[in-house]
Amino acid sequence: MSGVYGWVGPAMGDSRDAIASMHRRAVGGASAAPVSSIGPRCALGATAAAGTSFAMECGAVRVAFHGHPAWRDARNDRLLPDAFCERLAESYRAAGPAILDQLTGDFALALVDEDKGETLLAIDRVGIRSLLYCANRDLLVFGPSSDVLKVHPAVGTDVDPQALYNYVYFHMVPGPQTAFRTHSRLLPGHYLLAREGKLSVRPYWAPTYAEDSVRTVPQLAPGLQRALRQGVGAFADGACGAFLSGGTDSSTVAGVLTEITGAPARTYSIGFDATGYDEMAYARIAARHFRTEHHEYYVTPADVVAAIPTVAAAYDQPFGNASAVPTYFCARMAQADGITRMLGGDGGDELFGGNERYAKQYQFSLYDRVPVPIRALAIEPLLLGLPSLRHLPLFRKARSYVEQAKLPMPGRYESYNLLERLGAANVFDGAFLASVDRHRPRAMLQTVYDATRAESLINRMLALDMRFTLADNDLPKVTRVPGGLA
């Protein structure tokens, strides 16, 4: 793990010792060197094994930064830390948080303007980096995880019951909430501005969807290829490898990595000795095609049992993504080979519409095209009102289709949600349920769905997955394991 951390407010004993403690918690035993900038009422630190990472002052402005950023104007993308800090400070003095419109790539940023008494926290547009914060009167503590925040003695650790309920619903805790009452997480494309004890959290970017543009594959392909090369190339320096499942997304990353470096990509795959769950044959096909230097490992049940404590300890929140276990073994195998960063294809389905559920929801949406009188007077009375026909397979299938198709989106997305199916009262006791809002998870989905700048069903589903599946699930999975993104 890497990122920025520190606090703004009253000093905490010896500030240098305190910021060093935050550094140790942030790197979790890794060898990344700490850098810090300490003022009368603030302490900022940054740490990383690679990328642009610094904590320094430029006049009255102190900046902690980590990531692989680029300026949208394409000027001086690869500035050295001193020059990069100076440009950030000058741009902030001139434009305030609007400077974030000019930054692309992945990053976590903490900026303190001591003259203005302002603090700016921000992360990149899709949430590759993580930045949590805790505000307590005149104190603001921040870091890449709750584990880092808790180094500061003023940060509380009370667990939030609503977060636990949301975890069981989603199998992760969706931001901006965390497992702890007083800890919050910046959402992708958001910033926090603090001044005189007042906090304002706002978006600086949101995805837009061009739905009225008709272009062919040959027209779009060159731009996509350039974007793939640019994205992989930003992280291809040093001892870099790739996860390889054999799917379109991870195979593409492995192929582009080979192309960019001019040498066989070092790829790693995990297999399972279980029919229907082993994708190693596909990984081998991709490895042969791209002539990668391929490595394999088959995970056993004993491996999983032994690894669960280690994997769980890598996350500061409850986290139920089962693929975190094979991701850990894949990263561990690569780390033993000297690999310091692993690239993966996570997010490909959610960005390009590759998941089966998108097609399934489209099929459900076709029911809306049936005239309302036919649905209300013929189809639904027949399928939903005649229980004597339920034993017929085709009838049961048609009935299930109508029952789901009648549900509005995005609630229909959760038709097979385990907590919805079991019933919250059969999972939690009454006292716990009295302390939470059972409707909160659906309300969160609805808010994002309604706010999406798109009309089509597919783009609204992609926006939901970009917000919940990528930012809260897939990205934490791959950035928190040893050997993940530096």
Side-chain angles (χ1 to χ4, degrees), residues 259-309:
E259 176 186 335
I260 287 175
T261 60
R266 288 188 279 179
T267 54
Y268 296 81
S269 299
I270 291 298
F272 299 92
D273 189 14
T275 303
Y277 291 91
D278 185 29
E279 299 177 331
M280 194 68 81
Y282 301 108
R284 289 167 183 163
I285 292 171
R288 286 195 300 269
H289 179 78
F290 292 115
R291 296 183 174 88
T292 70
E293 182 185 317
H294 192 54
H295 308 266
E296 301 176 354
Y297 181 75
Y298 272 81
V299 175
T300 68
D303 285 334
V304 175
V305 172
I308 284 177

Side-chain angles (χ1 to χ4, degrees), residues 429-467:
D429 66 31
F432 177 85
L433 287 178
S435 69
V436 303
D437 179 0
R438 300 191 218 185
H439 304 293
R440 179 78 63 82
R442 288 237 182 170
M444 295 171 69
L445 292 168
Q446 192 72 53
T447 297
V448 174
Y449 190 81
D450 292 343
T452 300
R453 303 175 190 176
E455 296 297 329
S456 64
L457 175 63
I458 180 62
N459 283 334
R460 286 176 175 264
M461 289 190 291
L462 291 176
L464 278 176
D465 277 343
M466 190 171 182
R467 166 69 176 77

Side-chain angles (χ1 to χ4, degrees), residues 50-241:
T52 299
S53 185
F54 60 83
M56 59 181 63
E57 54 267 18
C58 296
V61 177
R62 297 179 185 272
V63 180
F65 188 95
H66 173 63
H68 298 78
W71 294 95
R72 288 186 65 188
D73 59 17
R75 292 189 295 114
N76 303 318
D77 284 353
R78 300 295 183 181
L79 289 172
L80 294 174
D82 285 345
F84 191 50
C85 180
E86 184 176 345
R87 183 170 182 187
L88 280 172
E90 290 177 352
S91 298
Y92 183 78
R93 280 297 182 91
I99 64 166
L100 299 170
D101 295 337
Q102 301 304 314
L103 279 177
T104 61
D106 67 286
F107 65 87
L109 164 68
L111 183 151
V112 178
D113 187 327
E114 294 178 310
D115 283 348
K116 292 184 178 181
E118 288 183 351
T119 301
L120 175 72
L121 305 179
I123 61 168
D124 57 83
R125 300 178 179 193
V126 296
I128 296 175
R129 300 296 160 189
S130 179
L131 194 52
L132 283 69
Y133 62 92
C134 176
N136 181 10
R137 296 180 182 175
D138 59 345
L139 174 68
L140 175 64
V141 184
F142 55 91
S145 71
S146 285
D147 291 338
V148 176
L149 294 187
K150 289 186 288 185
V151 170
H152 198 292
V155 172
T157 58
D158 290 343
V159 173
D160 186 349
Q162 184 68 51
L164 296 183
Y165 184 87
N166 294 351
Y167 164 71
V168 175
Y169 190 95
F170 289 109
H171 299 172
M172 48 73 181
V173 181
Q177 194 173 26
T178 73
F180 303 97
R181 290 183 186 275
T182 59
H183 304 194
S184 298
R185 187 166 77 245
L186 278 181
L187 294 177
H190 279 63
Y191 71 86
L192 177 151
L193 187 65
R195 187 175 187 181
E196 296 178 351
K198 297 181 180 179
L199 273 65
S200 174
V201 179
R202 297 180 180 177
Y204 67 86
W205 180 85
T208 57
Y209 301 88
E211 300 188 311
D212 57 353
S213 176
V214 179
R215 287 179 286 173
T216 64
V217 170
Q219 289 173 319
L220 293 169
L224 173 59
Q225 291 168 350
R226 284 194 300 272
L228 287 170
R229 294 188 186 101
Q230 181 182 12
V232 174
F235 301 97
D237 56 326
C240 182

Side-chain angles (χ1 to χ4, degrees), residues 33-56:
V35 288
S36 61
S37 176
I38 298 176
R41 285 185 54 81
C42 67
L44 282 64
T47 185
T52 299
S53 185
F54 60 83
M56 59 181 63

Side-chain angles (χ1 to χ4, degrees), residues 352-370:
F352 295 100
N355 281 320
E356 182 181 351
R357 62 177 175 270
Y358 302 138
K360 185 175 183 179
Q361 293 302 326
Y362 171 74
Q363 295 296 325
F364 286 134
S365 73
L366 296 178
Y367 187 65
D368 290 335
R369 300 183 186 181
V370 178

